[in-house]
Structure formats: C-alpha cells, structure tokens
Amino acid sequence: MNTVIELKDVSKSYGSTRGVLDLSFQISEGQIVGLLGPNGCGKTTLIKMIMGLLQPDRGDVLLGGTAPRESLHLVSYLPEKTYLWESIKMEEAFEIFANFYPDFSVEKARSILAEFQIDEETPLRSMSKGMQEKAQLSLVMGRECKIYILDEPMGGVDPLSRETILREILLNYNPGSTMLLSTHLVSEVEAIFERVLFMDQGRILEDVDVERIRQMENLSVDAYFRKIYKNKEDRHVG
C-alpha cells in the first residue's frame, strides 16, 4: 500500500515547552488510525503540523510524498474548534465549500446535515456546541478526499449523538481513503480503528495494530489505553 502520511524525525517546541519530539511514522492509504493520549501529550500539535498550520523545528512532514503546503487538496480537516463565523448559515457554507473544493458534494453534505436534523438556514450562533460540531462535520465528510483528519469529532456531544456522528463518518468515508482520528472517547470509537498511535509527552509511546491488542493482550483498545498509561504513572511514582 502507498504511504500517504509520513513523518521523519519531526520535533516542535514552544520556547522551553516541548510540543513533540523525534516523531517518525508512516500511515498507508486505506487505514483508519486512532491518535490517542492524555491532554497535553502533543496530539493537536502533531495534527497542526500535518496540516501545515505549524512548521516543525526540524524533520519532515509529507502528505502523498510532498510538503503539506503543496498537498492540502488531499486532506479534509475537522479541527477541535470551529473555524466558521457565528452569522453563517449552512446553506452559505455549502456554497463556499463548493466554490473552494472541487471534490465537495453539496448533495452529500445536505444529506449528512439532514441526518443530524439541522436546518440549513439556522445560523451558527443559534446552534449548540454539539450542533456546531455536527454542522462542521457535514462539510468535512462532504468532500471526497484521500485523507481525513478529525480532531475530537465528538467531544461536545451527548452519547446518543455520538452514535449518529460515528455512523455518518463511516457511511461517508471512502474505504480507499486514510483517516487519522484523535479522541478521548476511546471506548466509543475503537471499533473503527485498525491501528492506534499512543502519545505521551510529545513522543509516540506505542504504535500498534488493534488486532494485536485484542488477540495477544486479550484487551479492548480502551482497556489497553488505561493499562499502558497506568503502568507509566506507576513507574513514575515508584
């Protein structure tokens, strides 16, 4: 399989504060990969570098073999916080995306929004945080991309809505595409992961296939997540 996301010895710091350190990994086409770890472990810094929103201090980030600034047309990105302005209506957002992205389908995005039971004419400021996340997801999944990067797509919604969001992600995700999904809700999302990257203090703590966790460790991804971070804390205390 072709490599679509690659990091080579990537580091980023903010003054004396470490963001990420010496990250190297590859993600192939067609994989759904979970990016997991506690707050402040470097997940969002990593995602922003993949998107070209942050430049690494050293190392290389490649999307489809080229630098992010040359290959962002390959990526549909859902940030942790909305980038839409408060007065916008989704019908207006659909028009903007259709003009900006040749791979955006207004029909597909409308279908997703309808599943979320959100009216196209409702301005963003009238939506709850959860509705805003759903509305933005309709834009992201309305594109036909090689790479989808989702940063906490279900962080602000109730458990029932999470099921709907996950279903819409899977229904509208092209199986030939690659997805990198960052989340704290491991137990609710782990069923879709083929591979997980566990981060801690700016490093990759483990990079492991989900089947290995289930067969060799006899654990769910969520249980394994709790185990490795608890062991790390116990070693630190000891």
Side-chain angles (χ1 to χ4, degrees), residues 44 48 77-84 124 129 132-133 136 151-153:
T44 296
K48 286 183 176 180
Y77 170 46
L78 179 74
E80 187 175 8
K81 296 180 180 179
T82 183
Y83 49 73
L84 301 173
L124 199 70
K129 185 177 187 296
Q132 290 179 10
E133 292 185 4
Q136 189 163 271
D151 193 359
E152 297 290 346

Side-chain angles (χ1 to χ4, degrees), residues 1 30-34 173 175 190-196 208-211:
M1 291 186 292
Q31 286 190 314
I32 301 181
V33 180
Y173 159 76
E190 65 170 84
I192 74 171
F193 293 149
E194 301 167 43
R195 172 183 168 197
V196 284
V208 59
D209 288 337
V210 167
E211 280 305 305

Side-chain angles (χ1 to χ4, degrees), residues 69-88:
R69 64 180 178 275
E70 300 168 1
S71 49
L72 284 180
H73 62 283
L74 301 176
V75 187
S76 193
Y77 170 46
L78 179 74
E80 187 175 8
K81 296 180 180 179
T82 183
Y83 49 73
L84 301 173
W85 54 95
E86 290 187 346
S87 61
I88 196 170

Side-chain angles (χ1 to χ4, degrees), residues 15-176:
S16 60
T17 303
R18 176 197 299 172
V20 299
L21 183 64
D22 298 330
L23 295 185
S24 294
F25 62 84
Q26 298 178 348
I27 299 178
S28 300
E29 61 184 359
Q31 286 190 314
I32 301 181
V33 180
L35 182 62
L36 310 178
N39 288 332
C41 70
K43 300 190 300 295
T44 296
T45 295
L46 167 57
I47 286 173
K48 286 183 176 180
M49 285 193 296
I50 292 174
M51 291 303 303
L53 300 173
L54 288 175
Q55 296 301 312
D57 297 331
R58 64 175 184 272
D60 297 308
V61 178
L62 302 174
L63 300 179
T66 60
R69 64 180 178 275
E70 300 168 1
S71 49
L72 284 180
H73 62 283
L74 301 176
V75 187
S76 193
Y77 170 46
L78 179 74
E80 187 175 8
K81 296 180 180 179
T82 183
Y83 49 73
L84 301 173
W85 54 95
E86 290 187 346
S87 61
I88 196 170
K89 299 176 181 178
M90 292 311 297
E91 59 183 357
E92 298 168 334
F94 291 161
E95 183 177 351
I96 292 170
F97 265 59
N99 289 331
F100 198 77
Y101 298 110
D103 60 10
F104 181 74
S105 167
V106 173
E107 181 179 354
K108 183 179 177 183
R110 279 180 173 152
S111 175
I112 297 170
L113 198 69
E115 287 296 322
F116 293 146
Q117 299 182 353
I118 298 175
D119 192 311
E120 287 182 46
E121 296 186 2
T122 302
L124 199 70
R125 61 170 169 261
S126 299
M127 299 182 192
S128 66
K129 185 177 187 296
M131 290 174 65
Q132 290 179 10
E133 292 185 4
K134 292 174 184 176
Q136 189 163 271
L137 186 67
S138 72
L139 297 171
V140 172
M141 301 310 298
R143 294 182 59 197
E144 293 287 344
C145 283
K146 288 189 175 181
I147 305 169
Y148 293 87
I149 297 181
L150 312 181
D151 193 359
E152 297 290 346
M154 299 180 292
V157 299
D158 59 84
L160 186 59
S161 293
R162 290 170 195 161
E163 293 180 10
T164 306
I165 287 175
L166 188 59
R167 182 179 70 246
E168 288 304 309
I169 289 173
L170 290 176
L171 284 174
N172 293 283
Y173 159 76
N174 180 351

